[in-house]
């Protein structure tokens, strides 16, 4: 019993700390030295956990194993590219997500560990989401390391980034919606309250990507509702929804939206009215096209080096893989994601409509974020989904 508890601590404490982005908080508010101690402490716990679990590991997931192959390919080509092009490569930092992949690949091989993990994940995501709302309400800006003198127009949450916070909010909503199935009325009301708070946290991000993805995820999660007459009724409502979105500026005129808040509303209006030339992408398209034209097409086969795309602030995970480690690594990366989706589609409905929304939201955000596959808590979630796809519904939902 004592060994099991130590094992859970070794894996779950690093997961929780990265979900809260504690290292960045400590760096900004306390000291960089303490933040480094936390980072090395997390890695130490993971290696200890692997040592305690490795000999008695359970059946391993073939789908989750693809991440190990991907990272090996990535480091092979990207390290070679760094050496050839003399681009700096901080291997020690970039390898951290890979360590989490290896650790949770071993830890989650046990059914009992998967049950514990998902419960802890729900609590961690919900709590970090509530903290994100609180930080916005007190006008705390993590980028600036304290209370901002001007009112912030978007919630950056515990990740100091609105889109990352939106991604975490949608993941939280899906986890609570599907994995927490209380039987008593009081706890059912509590679940609705948590979902409402999570949705509010998403709204505070004013993330266009987040809003659109959230709507699609809601449809997936409530797929049973859209049948027969209700499906026809839902389709008949689409023109009214379109009109509401097209006139969103008028409908929100009295909300006193400022800065990026109003810009994001304008973006929604421009998108639904096909006025795409006026959509503000915060310069992301120019950064991605610059990366593609100036570096990807110049070195398409082996790439430009470890974390090269991040240094160029390209804000696109998929193009970033190509820029860092070349076309062969990119092809395997896309194959791996396809394998996940195919496995989800072949799963029973209760698993399919849990895994698909999570995969969908993480993959869509790959198009606007460069930080999806280098976030340890997201990699642990990817590994969990791999086990879920391969071994079926083996978790508790009460």
């Amino acid at each position: 019993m004592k060994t099991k508890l130590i094992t859970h601590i070794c894996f779950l404490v690093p997961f929780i700390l990265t979900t809260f982005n504690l290292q960045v908080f400590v760096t900004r508010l306390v000291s960089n030295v303490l933040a480094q101690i936390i980072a090395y402490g997390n890695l130490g716990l993971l290696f200890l956990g692997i040592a305690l679990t490795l000999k008695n590991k359970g059946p391993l997931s073939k789908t989750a194993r693809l991440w190990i192959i991907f990272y090996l390919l990535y480091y092979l080509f990207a390290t070679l590219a760094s050496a050839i092009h003399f681009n700096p490569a901080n291997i020690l930092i970039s390898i951290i997500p890979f360590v989490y992949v290896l650790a949770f690949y071993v830890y989650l091989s046990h059914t009992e560990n998967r049950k514990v993990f998902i419960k802890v994940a729900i609590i961690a995501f919900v709590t970090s989401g509530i903290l994100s709302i609180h930080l916005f309400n007190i006008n705390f800006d993590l980028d600036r390391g304290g209370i901002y003198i001007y009112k912030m127009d978007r919630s950056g949450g515990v990740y100091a980034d609105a889109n990352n916070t939106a991604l975490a909010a949608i993941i939280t909503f899906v986890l609570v919606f599907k994995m927490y199935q209380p039987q008593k009325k009081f706890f059912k009301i509590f679940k609705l309250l948590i979902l409402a708070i999570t949705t509010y946290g998403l709204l505070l991000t004013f993330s266009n990507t987040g809003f659109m993805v959230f709507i699609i995820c809601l449809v997936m999660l409530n797929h049973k509702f859209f049948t027969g007459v209700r499906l026809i009724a839902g389709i008949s409502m689409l023109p009214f929804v379109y009109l509401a979105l097209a006139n969103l500026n008028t409908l929100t005129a009295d909300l006193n939206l400022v800065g990026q808040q109003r810009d994001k509303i304008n973006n929604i209006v421009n998108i639904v009215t096909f006025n795409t030339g006026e959509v503000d992408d915060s310069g992301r398209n120019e950064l991605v096209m610059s990366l593609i034209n100036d570096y990807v097409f110049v070195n398409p086969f082996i790439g430009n080096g470890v974390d090269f795309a991040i240094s160029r602030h390209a804000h696109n995970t998929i193009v970033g893989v190509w820029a860092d480690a070349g076309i062969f690594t990119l092809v395997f990366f896309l194959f791996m994601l396809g394998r996940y989706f195919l496995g989800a589609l072949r799963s029973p409905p209760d698993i399919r409509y849990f895994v698909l929304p999570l995969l969908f939201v993480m993959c869509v955000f790959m198009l606007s974020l460069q930080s999806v596959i280098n976030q340890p808590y997201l990699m642990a979630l990817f590994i969990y989904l791999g086990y879920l796809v391969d071994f079926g519904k083996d978790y508790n939902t009460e």
Side-chain angles (χ1 to χ4, degrees), residues 203-228:
L203 294 175
L204 291 179
T205 67
F206 281 85
S207 168
N208 292 143
T209 304
F211 294 162
M212 299 301 179
V213 170
F214 182 61
I215 292 172
I216 296 173
C217 286
L218 276 179
V219 174
M220 290 185 188
L221 293 172
N222 294 280
H223 66 280
K224 292 182 179 179
F225 178 82
F226 297 101
T227 57

Side-chain angles (χ1 to χ4, degrees), residues 206-279:
F206 281 85
S207 168
N208 292 143
T209 304
F211 294 162
M212 299 301 179
V213 170
F214 182 61
I215 292 172
I216 296 173
C217 286
L218 276 179
V219 174
M220 290 185 188
L221 293 172
N222 294 280
H223 66 280
K224 292 182 179 179
F225 178 82
F226 297 101
T227 57
V229 177
R230 285 176 292 191
L231 177 60
I232 297 174
I235 294 175
S236 66
M237 291 295 294
L238 290 179
F240 298 99
V241 174
Y242 176 81
L243 289 174
L245 292 176
N247 294 278
L248 203 55
N249 270 319
T250 302
L251 296 174
T252 60
D254 297 328
L255 294 183
N256 194 30
L257 301 180
V258 296
Q260 291 190 63
Q261 296 175 350
R262 180 55 63 189
D263 292 340
K264 295 301 179 180
I265 296 297
N266 288 331
N267 277 351
I268 294 176
V269 174
N270 287 327
I271 289 171
V272 299
T273 57
F274 301 102
N275 189 21
T276 55
E278 297 298 322
V279 175

Side-chain angles (χ1 to χ4, degrees), residues 42-70:
N42 285 342
L43 295 179
L45 285 174
L46 291 174
F47 284 121
L48 176 58
I50 292 173
L52 293 174
T53 310
L54 193 57
K55 289 185 179 180
N56 299 313
K57 65 181 182 296
L60 299 172
S61 165
K62 292 182 179 179
T63 301
R65 186 186 302 162
L66 294 175
W67 279 105
I68 299 176
I69 301 173
F70 162 73

Side-chain angles (χ1 to χ4, degrees), residues 35-162:
Q36 291 178 346
I37 292 174
I38 293 174
Y40 288 124
N42 285 342
L43 295 179
L45 285 174
L46 291 174
F47 284 121
L48 176 58
I50 292 173
L52 293 174
T53 310
L54 193 57
K55 289 185 179 180
N56 299 313
K57 65 181 182 296
L60 299 172
S61 165
K62 292 182 179 179
T63 301
R65 186 186 302 162
L66 294 175
W67 279 105
I68 299 176
I69 301 173
F70 162 73
Y71 274 109
L72 292 177
L73 280 175
Y74 176 89
Y75 290 119
L76 173 64
F77 284 100
T79 303
L80 178 62
S82 291
I84 292 176
H85 303 302
F86 302 101
N87 290 324
N90 195 332
I91 303 295
L92 291 179
I93 292 178
S94 66
I95 207 171
I96 290 176
F98 181 49
V99 174
Y100 277 78
V101 165
L102 292 175
F104 281 89
Y105 180 64
V106 175
Y107 174 66
L108 295 176
S109 63
H110 288 281
T111 301
E112 178 186 349
N113 293 348
R114 293 197 287 272
K115 293 178 180 179
V116 174
F117 168 78
I118 199 59
K119 291 178 181 178
V120 171
I122 292 173
I123 296 172
F125 272 102
V126 168
T127 309
S128 67
I130 294 173
L131 178 58
S132 294
I133 295 173
H134 174 66
L135 294 178
F136 179 77
N137 288 335
I138 65 174
N139 219 42
F140 181 90
D141 188 346
L142 184 57
D143 272 338
R144 295 174 174 86
I147 304 298
Y148 190 36
I149 59 174
Y150 302 105
K151 180 62 179 175
M152 293 189 299
D153 48 11
R154 301 179 70 189
S155 171
V158 300
Y159 308 107
D161 180 81

